[in-house]
Amino acid sequence: IGILGLGLVGSVVAERLRQRGYEVVGYDPMVSKLEGVEMKADADAVFASCETVVLCLPDGDVVRAVMDEMQSALREEHLIINTSTGDAETPHAQMIEATIGGSSAMLRDGCALLFLGGDSALIDRAQPILEALSSHRFHLGAFGAGAKFKLVHNMAIGLNRAVVAETLHFAQALGFDTKQALEILLQSPASSMAMKAKGTKMVARDYEPPQARLSQHLKDVRLMLAAAQEASMQVPLTELHEKLLSLAESRGFGEVDNAAVIEAYRGKV
């Protein structure tokens, strides 16, 4: 199996495929080696040696650029699985979507969700690989549906993180110890998966290594705003969330874990 992009997500995809007995080859201009992965010199070499290629790239623009570049390398037997979140780019005839709901840590543990979009026959062909990545898979329709539902999912989880950040900062402003406040909240109806996953990181200001980078989520939030505008609907909470993430990014927290959204509150918002 070939993988293009071996960052947070791509490296975990490689790990899970290797655990299922697949030989994995990969290419990433920013990664020179990865345990158990045969590194190739370029994307052409990955396509030349693999019928199935998984794209774990930053966004839709990069996906389009890579696919344009790979036109001459594509063969009829190729199957391309795109995990990248982006706008609903024009699908390639041999491509399906498998966007990921959850962090790289959740993907490693096998509890992330896969939002599938594309031709049913291609998705059936990809099932052994998809099963290696997650047991929670949802075919949501034609190509583009996976990317759209990823935005729905990320809107909910991102706003939950922002609520946790504001709540902990509010507790601190009222004179409470944030560690104690978090311990109490986790035992209350106010608890959430976001609070369990990110609350301790926020209290400890422990954002390394990132499970999912703040700047990556900010990119997704901007896609949400664009999709909402296209649908002629108002998303005031997401508009505020975009401002918080932008502020945290401007303070140097873009490349760390998205729990750092709380850093937008640790100064004047």
Side-chain angles (χ1 to χ4, degrees), residues 141-165:
F143 192 94
K148 289 178 181 177
F149 199 84
K150 171 75 175 281
L151 297 181
V152 173
H153 171 271
N154 281 7
M155 178 182 283
I157 202 167
L159 290 174
N160 268 275
R161 276 195 301 267
V163 166
V164 175

Side-chain angles (χ1 to χ4, degrees), residues 12 17 49 67 72 75-76 86 105 109 129 137 139 167 181 188-190 197 200-201 203 208 213 220 245 256 262:
V12 176
L17 290 175
S49 59
M67 293 308 300
S72 61
R75 305 188 303 273
E76 186 176 345
D109 293 340
I129 295 163
R137 303 182 303 279
H139 187 188
T167 299
S188 80
T200 300
K201 288 181 173 292
V203 169
E208 295 282 5
R213 291 185 175 88
D220 289 352
L245 291 168
V256 301
I262 196 171

Side-chain angles (χ1 to χ4, degrees), residues 4 10-11 41 45 52 55 58 75 84-86 90 98 110 122 170 173 187 249 264:
L4 297 185
S11 60
T52 301
L55 305 182
R75 305 188 303 273
S84 309
T85 308
T90 303
L122 288 178
F170 184 55
Q187 299 174 67
E249 183 183 58

